[in-house]
Amino acid sequence: MTDGVAPLLARLGLRVPMRDVDQAGVIYYPAPLAWHEQVYTGWLDAIGHPLSGLLRVGEATATVSANADYLAPVGLDDRVDLELRSGPVGRSSFTLCSTGFRRPDRREAVRVRTVHVWSRLDGGRLRAAPMPDWLREALCGGVVADAG
């Protein structure tokens, strides 16, 4: 990170579908977590490391913490622009932050923060391991990719 600004990793535009709203027509609370996962795994795929490939070789980015903040109303068929940024990066853990901005006013509507631990499958259990250089470099250097 430079100058206190977290590196931008990916952008994703979406239309809020019916499955992501409640009976009152406003965002259903777990929906932003799914959006965050979509932009994150889309970024992994775009930089050449799809999650399916990681899992196939016994590697994973286990989520150990998740938090969502709801800042402005979002409803059915609203358009949201997501931006994924990296946060603190450690030896085996890293933080991802996504922000959803409503269109057309770019009002910040939702923020999601997750903490992940690079893990390897060992005897049927996930165990923390040092993250690979490609991931550290992509997170710290802000490798920007289209997550769509």
Side-chain angles (χ1 to χ4, degrees):
M1 286 185 256
T2 57
D3 302 329
V5 177
L8 177 66
L9 302 176
R11 288 190 175 101
L12 177 68
L14 59 89
R15 179 194 55 79
V16 177
M18 181 70 137
R19 71 167 183 256
D20 289 349
V21 297
D22 63 17
Q23 193 170 11
V26 295
I27 193 170
Y28 181 51
Y29 75 93
L33 293 169
W35 301 347
H36 179 83
E37 184 270 339
Q38 183 178 354
V39 71
Y40 167 50
T41 58
W43 174 74
L44 283 175
D45 183 62
I47 65 169
H49 297 275
L51 187 57
S52 60
L54 298 177
L55 294 171
R56 216 175 0 264
V57 297
E59 298 173 327
T61 61
T63 304
V64 297
S65 177
N67 180 67
D69 294 312
Y70 308 89
L71 308 168
V74 176
L76 181 62
D77 290 329
D78 281 352
R79 304 291 176 163
V80 177
D81 292 319
L82 293 176
E83 292 184 358
L84 181 70
R85 294 183 182 275
S86 63
V89 177
R91 183 176 85 68
S92 62
S93 67
F94 60 96
T95 300
L96 295 172
C97 303
S98 63
T99 304
F101 299 93
R102 278 191 334 202
R103 280 193 235 155
D105 62 4
R106 288 279 302 165
R107 183 171 178 192
E108 191 174 0
V110 64
R111 271 188 237 135
V112 175
R113 178 184 170 277
T114 54
V115 178
H116 303 264
V117 173
W118 182 262
S119 305
R120 295 192 191 279
L121 193 57
D122 178 19
R125 301 189 71 193
L126 284 177
R127 304 228 186 258
M131 81 177 70
D133 290 339
W134 67 262
L135 180 56
R136 178 178 307 287
E137 291 166 8
L139 290 166
C140 294
V143 175
V144 181
D146 177 12

